[in-house]
Amino acid sequence: MKRIEIKKILAKEPVGEKVLVKGWVRNRRASKNVAFITLNDGSVLSNLQIVADVEKIGHELLSRISTGAAIGVEGILQESQGAGQKVELVADDITIYGEADPEKYPLQPKKHSLEFLREIAHLRFRTNTFSAVNRVRHNMIFAIHQYFHDHGFYNIHSPIITASDAEGAGETFHVTSLDIGNPPKDENGKVDYKQDFFGRQTNLTVSGQLEAELAALALSKVYTFGPTFRAENSNTKRHLAEFWMIEPEVAFNDLDDNMDLAEDFLKYLIRFALDNCAEDLAFLDKRMADEEKSLPQNQRSEMGLIEKMKFVLKNEFERVTYTKAIEILKNSKPNKKKKFDYIIEEWGADLQSEHERYLVEKHFKKPVILTDYPKDIKAFYMKQNEDDTVRAMDILFPQIGEIVGGSQREEEYDKLARRMDELNIPQEEMWWFMDTRKYGSVPHSGFGLGFERMMLFVTGMSNIRDVIPFPRTPQNAEF
């Protein structure tokens, strides 16, 4: 008999039919004559109750079934006699695929802390929280590709191993085939990377943007969606060493076009989640509300998860310059009363999450797009204005702060060359990037969306380590 997923059974509820289900036991309780088994196969948040007659199935077999065991059940689906479910499966036959020692299995039917579950990330998929998060993650991945495909974009696989540092931060993971215990040295006593696999020093990519620009200047509309890496020794709730980025680049788009694209894209993803992940989002909404009950009142979110998502959909994003935002923040009560951790004193300050959330949640009460930042706090490739600003944009969301960063790119060769010289970025190593400004250069724009930041927003999870299957952080590369 062919297996049927629990999701399909609960959707169709074929009462009276014989079915075969397979999954993992979430709980089991038994009396003298009957056993009730809660079964989940990961296809849906909801479980299927199995009713097993002890005499028919056998006491010895049922005694081997405990939380965590993998089983297959064949039987007749019937209307449930108890509360909490519409249908239940009356077992005719049960097969045990894998037992789980009830004394050692770490996921017992009780509440576990997220910190504990990170230590057993190989098993945390089996919990309601992480099965829900990962189903939402899948839907968001699908929606991203669907959006760009429907809008005429081409997906580009940018290199994971690269010799460039797109952000200029220098916090990269080095890639080498040399013997790190005894590397070859040059005449100056430094590591001779000419003898390395690629004949030069390389690292894991921090961004696919620069390569996406090359493709956009031929294919017009492209996007990358791949892993990126930062060797930043940070243990905050907002940082990962390995994460995923979505980076579209569009030829002939200016900053206004870029903002239009980003707003439309974000709203599409949120709408897709609401339309396709209703059960999981309802569970995560309740989970978020329950978690926040233990927090001080001033640390609780003003909106629930689903309310927050609908808030973004119903509002046009407020577009405001960095200069205006600085004036708002300087004159705000939290700044004047020194309630901010980072006091805004003058133009040129690099905004922190507390400032971004103030603008969104307190001042404008809607998502905000900040534009025209000081060039000294932004990357070299951004389009330069006549003053000391660049045509940058950051999109700020409630709870998250910055969720998207982008800009119109500097397409003029001379301006780009001068800026690279100012920042001591060697043009000879970026000759391929400079070439695009020599041959058929055009205005173009793009942005980056950190996928895990987006996942934080659509799941209500508070720690970025809980929205990626296997988090990579300082001193942690388990699993």
Side-chain angles (χ1 to χ4, degrees):
M1 192 173 188
K2 191 173 182 180
R3 172 200 176 200
I4 300 178
E5 293 177 345
I6 291 175
K7 179 179 182 179
K8 294 179 180 178
I9 288 176
L10 297 180
K12 294 182 179 180
E13 297 179 355
V15 172
E17 292 187 14
K18 191 168 188 175
V19 297
L20 170 64
V21 296
K22 299 178 181 181
W24 294 267
V25 175
R26 289 289 180 86
N27 197 6
R28 184 188 75 93
R29 54 190 174 88
S31 63
K32 181 179 179 181
N33 300 318
V34 65
F36 297 95
I37 300 168
T38 303
L39 196 69
N40 188 280
D41 66 1
S43 64
V44 68
L45 181 70
S46 299
N47 305 310
L48 180 63
Q49 178 168 277
I50 310 298
V51 181
D53 184 278
V54 173
E55 183 176 347
K56 183 176 184 179
I57 302 301
H59 175 77
E60 190 277 331
L61 184 144
L62 287 172
S63 68
R64 292 163 51 203
I65 297 174
S66 59
T67 300
I71 64 174
V73 184
E74 191 173 319
I76 303 296
L77 197 71
Q78 68 174 26
E79 292 184 3
S80 179
Q81 302 302 306
Q85 64 275 329
K86 292 183 179 180
V87 293
E88 59 191 16
L89 185 60
V90 179
D92 290 329
D93 184 60
I94 296 179
T95 301
I96 300 176
Y97 296 108
E99 297 183 38
D101 186 337
E103 299 299 321
K104 297 180 179 179
Y105 184 62
L107 287 177
Q108 293 301 314
K110 64 178 183 178
K111 185 173 181 179
H112 298 284
S113 71
L114 296 178
E115 290 80 7
F116 169 73
L117 293 175
R118 285 181 212 125
E119 296 174 3
I120 55 167
H122 59 304
L123 295 174
R124 68 178 182 170
F125 295 102
R126 300 188 189 186
T127 66
N128 282 338
T129 295
F130 287 95
S131 64
V133 166
N134 281 281
R135 279 188 295 269
V136 174
R137 186 179 174 101
H138 161 79
N139 275 276
M140 290 295 89
I141 292 169
F142 178 83
I144 287 161
H145 290 297
Q146 187 74 59
Y147 178 88
F148 287 123
H149 177 77
D150 290 348
H151 287 77
F153 282 72
Y154 299 105
N155 182 230
I156 300 297
H157 288 169
S158 54
I160 293 175
I161 299 174
T162 177
S164 67
D165 175 6
E167 299 298 322
E171 296 168 332
T172 59
F173 290 100
H174 299 300
V175 176
T176 183
S177 63
L178 297 176
D179 179 356
I180 60 174
N182 185 31
K185 303 291 182 66
D186 60 20
E187 60 275 11
N188 297 315
K190 295 183 178 180
V191 176
D192 185 5
Y193 285 103
K194 290 181 180 179
Q195 297 187 47
D196 206 348
F197 187 90
F198 295 106
R200 62 187 304 181
Q201 191 170 353
T202 56
N203 52 266
L204 296 179
T205 185
V206 300
S207 169
Q209 177 206 311
L210 302 186
E211 291 83 4
E213 283 191 54
L214 311 184
L217 294 173
L219 300 174
S220 287
K221 296 195 291 187
V222 304
Y223 73 104
T224 73
F225 186 2
T228 51
F229 308 85
R230 301 278 175 90
E232 184 177 355
N233 190 16
S234 176
N235 275 296
T236 75
K237 293 182 177 182
R238 295 163 55 89
H239 289 89
L240 290 168
E242 175 185 290
F243 53 99
W244 290 70
M245 287 288 291
I246 303 100
E247 296 174 292
E249 288 288 329
V250 186
F252 308 106
N253 265 16
D254 62 15
L255 186 64
D256 289 329
D257 299 321
N258 205 33
M259 290 189 285
D260 291 342
L261 174 65
E263 181 172 346
D264 188 62
F265 175 53
L266 290 170
K267 287 183 173 179
Y268 177 91
L269 296 184
I270 293 168
R271 196 175 298 112
F272 191 96
L274 289 170
D275 291 345
N276 293 276
C277 307
E279 183 184 26
D280 287 323
L281 289 182
F283 167 80
L284 291 168
D285 191 3
K286 183 178 183 304
R287 186 210 153 274
M288 176 179 158
D290 290 342
E291 285 288 315
E292 291 195 345
K293 288 178 182 177
S294 63
L295 297 176
Q297 189 68 39
N298 63 347
Q299 293 183 25
R300 298 178 189 178
S301 302
E302 294 186 2
M303 293 178 282
L305 173 60
I306 293 175
E307 181 186 5
K308 177 185 64 178
M309 294 169 73
K310 291 180 177 178
F311 164 83
V312 171
L313 288 182
K314 73 179 182 181
N315 282 296
E316 295 296 319
F317 294 7
E318 185 76 23
R319 302 182 181 188
V320 58
T321 65
Y322 166 91
T323 299
K324 183 178 178 182
I326 285 294
E327 288 303 311
I328 292 169
L329 291 167
K330 280 176 64 177
N331 294 315
S332 68
K333 285 185 179 179
N335 199 63
K336 288 182 175 180
K337 294 184 177 181
K338 301 190 183 303
K339 295 290 183 67
F340 283 144
D341 291 332
Y342 297 88
I343 304 302
I344 299 294
E345 295 179 343
E346 59 185 13
W347 191 90
D350 204 351
L351 301 186
Q352 305 297 317
S353 179
E354 60 180 342
H355 307 132
E356 295 165 345
R357 291 188 61 181
Y358 175 84
L359 292 170
V360 173
E361 299 168 16
K362 302 298 183 183
H363 187 82
F364 290 107
K365 299 187 185 301
K366 61 172 67 174
V368 174
I369 309 180
L370 291 186
T371 66
D372 300 291
Y373 280 78
K375 71 176 183 179
D376 289 340
I377 61 173
K378 288 297 181 180
F380 75 93
Y381 49 72
M382 296 186 176
K383 179 70 176 175
Q384 299 168 43
N385 291 319
E386 295 302 317
D387 52 16
D388 285 330
T389 64
V390 289
R391 303 225 75 197
M393 68 158 202
D394 286 345
I395 299 182
L396 316 180
F397 264 21
Q399 180 191 345
I400 301 297
E402 181 194 338
I403 195 167
V404 161
S407 72
Q408 185 172 334
R409 316 308 191 188
E410 182 55 77
E411 83 278 8
E412 296 183 48
Y413 181 93
D414 291 341
K415 288 184 178 180
L416 182 61
R418 282 197 300 272
R419 186 63 181 144
M420 291 175 73
D421 288 342
E422 289 174 9
L423 297 174
N424 296 315
I425 298 173
Q427 294 183 41
E428 60 274 14
E429 293 185 12
M430 298 286 289
W431 63 269
W432 46 273
F433 189 71
M434 301 299 290
D435 262 10
T436 59
R437 273 63 177 177
K438 287 181 182 179
Y439 310 127
S441 183
V442 302
H444 59 288
S445 299
F447 61 83
L449 167 63
F451 184 48
E452 281 70 36
R453 286 280 181 94
M454 187 67 190
M455 283 297 302
L456 283 176
F457 183 77
V458 298
T459 62
M461 303 298 286
S462 59
N463 194 314
I464 201 165
R465 303 176 191 201
D466 297 327
V467 295
I468 191 168
F470 303 104
R472 297 290 177 254
T473 54
Q475 305 299 310
N476 176 32
E478 199 69 75
F479 313 110

